[in-house]
PDB file of all heavy atoms in Angstrom:
ATOM      1  N   ALA A 122     111.463  96.297 107.136  1.00 91.00           N
ATOM      2  CA  ALA A 122     112.332  96.114 105.975  1.00 91.00           C
ATOM      3  C   ALA A 122     113.025  94.761 106.007  1.00 91.00           C
ATOM      4  O   ALA A 122     114.168  94.631 105.574  1.00 91.00           O
ATOM      5  CB  ALA A 122     113.356  97.245 105.912  1.00 91.00           C
ATOM      6  N   ASP A 123     112.350  93.747 106.530  1.00 90.00           N
ATOM      7  CA  ASP A 123     112.925  92.407 106.541  1.00 90.00           C
ATOM      8  C   ASP A 123     113.183  91.926 105.115  1.00 90.00           C
ATOM      9  O   ASP A 123     112.521  92.357 104.171  1.00 90.00           O
ATOM     10  CB  ASP A 123     111.978  91.427 107.245  1.00 90.00           C
ATOM     11  CG  ASP A 123     111.953  91.634 108.750  1.00 90.00           C
ATOM     12  OD1 ASP A 123     112.913  92.223 109.271  1.00 90.00           O
ATOM     13  OD2 ASP A 123     110.985  91.207 109.393  1.00 90.00           O
ATOM     14  N   ASP A 124     114.126  90.997 104.988  1.00 86.00           N
ATOM     15  CA  ASP A 124     114.481  90.483 103.672  1.00 86.00           C
ATOM     16  C   ASP A 124     113.293  89.811 102.987  1.00 86.00           C
ATOM     17  O   ASP A 124     112.299  89.438 103.636  1.00 86.00           O
ATOM     18  CB  ASP A 124     115.620  89.464 103.797  1.00 86.00           C
ATOM     19  CG  ASP A 124     116.974  90.146 103.912  1.00 86.00           C
ATOM     20  OD1 ASP A 124     117.051  91.366 103.715  1.00 86.00           O
ATOM     21  OD2 ASP A 124     117.955  89.448 104.209  1.00 86.00           O
ATOM     22  N   VAL A 125     113.410  89.637 101.695  1.00 85.00           N
ATOM     23  CA  VAL A 125     112.378  88.963 100.902  1.00 85.00           C
ATOM     24  C   VAL A 125     112.074  87.589 101.498  1.00 85.00           C
ATOM     25  O   VAL A 125     112.975  86.824 101.827  1.00 85.00           O
ATOM     26  CB  VAL A 125     112.861  88.787  99.441  1.00 85.00           C
ATOM     27  CG1 VAL A 125     111.891  87.926  98.658  1.00 85.00           C
ATOM     28  CG2 VAL A 125     113.029  90.139  98.771  1.00 85.00           C
ATOM     29  N   GLY A 126     110.785  87.301 101.657  1.00 84.00           N
ATOM     30  CA  GLY A 126     110.371  85.953 102.046  1.00 84.00           C
ATOM     31  C   GLY A 126     110.249  85.700 103.525  1.00 84.00           C
ATOM     32  O   GLY A 126     109.872  84.604 103.935  1.00 84.00           O
ATOM     33  N   ILE A 127     110.525  86.694 104.379  1.00 89.00           N
ATOM     34  CA  ILE A 127     110.432  86.483 105.824  1.00 89.00           C
ATOM     35  C   ILE A 127     108.993  86.626 106.309  1.00 89.00           C
ATOM     36  O   ILE A 127     108.585  85.967 107.263  1.00 89.00           O
ATOM     37  CB  ILE A 127     111.377  87.452 106.572  1.00 89.00           C
ATOM     38  CG1 ILE A 127     112.826  86.974 106.408  1.00 89.00           C
ATOM     39  CG2 ILE A 127     111.027  87.577 108.037  1.00 89.00           C
ATOM     40  CD1 ILE A 127     113.860  87.851 107.084  1.00 89.00           C
ATOM     41  N   GLY A 128     108.220  87.494 105.676  1.00 89.00           N
ATOM     42  CA  GLY A 128     106.814  87.615 106.051  1.00 89.00           C
ATOM     43  C   GLY A 128     106.399  89.010 106.465  1.00 89.00           C
ATOM     44  O   GLY A 128     105.715  89.184 107.484  1.00 89.00           O
ATOM     45  N   LYS A 129     106.774  90.023 105.682  1.00 93.00           N
ATOM     46  CA  LYS A 129     106.414  91.405 106.035  1.00 93.00           C
ATOM     47  C   LYS A 129     104.913  91.617 106.001  1.00 93.00           C
ATOM     48  O   LYS A 129     104.373  92.377 106.810  1.00 93.00           O
ATOM     49  CB  LYS A 129     107.100  92.375 105.069  1.00 93.00           C
ATOM     50  CG  LYS A 129     108.619  92.411 105.229  1.00 93.00           C
ATOM     51  CD  LYS A 129     109.266  93.377 104.252  1.00 93.00           C
ATOM     52  CE  LYS A 129     109.130  92.900 102.818  1.00 93.00           C
ATOM     53  NZ  LYS A 129     109.814  91.617 102.570  1.00 93.00           N
ATOM     54  N   THR A 130     104.225  90.966 105.075  1.00 93.00           N
ATOM     55  CA  THR A 130     102.768  91.098 105.002  1.00 93.00           C
ATOM     56  C   THR A 130     102.124  90.643 106.300  1.00 93.00           C
ATOM     57  O   THR A 130     101.265  91.335 106.865  1.00 93.00           O
ATOM     58  CB  THR A 130     102.210  90.267 103.836  1.00 93.00           C
ATOM     59  OG1 THR A 130     102.780  90.726 102.616  1.00 93.00           O
ATOM     60  CG2 THR A 130     100.699  90.381 103.756  1.00 93.00           C
ATOM     61  N   ILE A 131     102.530  89.490 106.789  1.00 94.00           N
ATOM     62  CA  ILE A 131     101.999  88.970 108.047  1.00 94.00           C
ATOM     63  C   ILE A 131     102.317  89.925 109.193  1.00 94.00           C
ATOM     64  O   ILE A 131     101.459  90.250 110.022  1.00 94.00           O
ATOM     65  CB  ILE A 131     102.592  87.580 108.345  1.00 94.00           C
ATOM     66  CG1 ILE A 131     102.148  86.567 107.292  1.00 94.00           C
ATOM     67  CG2 ILE A 131     102.197  87.105 109.747  1.00 94.00           C
ATOM     68  CD1 ILE A 131     100.673  86.314 107.244  1.00 94.00           C
ATOM     69  N   GLU A 132     103.563  90.402 109.245  1.00 96.00           N
ATOM     70  CA  GLU A 132     103.982  91.271 110.340  1.00 96.00           C
ATOM     71  C   GLU A 132     103.168  92.565 110.362  1.00 96.00           C
ATOM     72  O   GLU A 132     102.741  93.030 111.430  1.00 96.00           O
ATOM     73  CB  GLU A 132     105.478  91.568 110.213  1.00 96.00           C
ATOM     74  CG  GLU A 132     106.340  90.336 110.452  1.00 96.00           C
ATOM     75  CD  GLU A 132     107.799  90.535 110.102  1.00 96.00           C
ATOM     76  OE1 GLU A 132     108.131  91.529 109.432  1.00 96.00           O
ATOM     77  OE2 GLU A 132     108.611  89.686 110.501  1.00 96.00           O
TER      78      GLU A 132
END
Side-chain angles (χ1 to χ4, degrees):
D123 287 339
D124 279 350
V125 172
I127 285 179
K129 292 180 293 297
T130 300
I131 295 297
E132 292 170 346

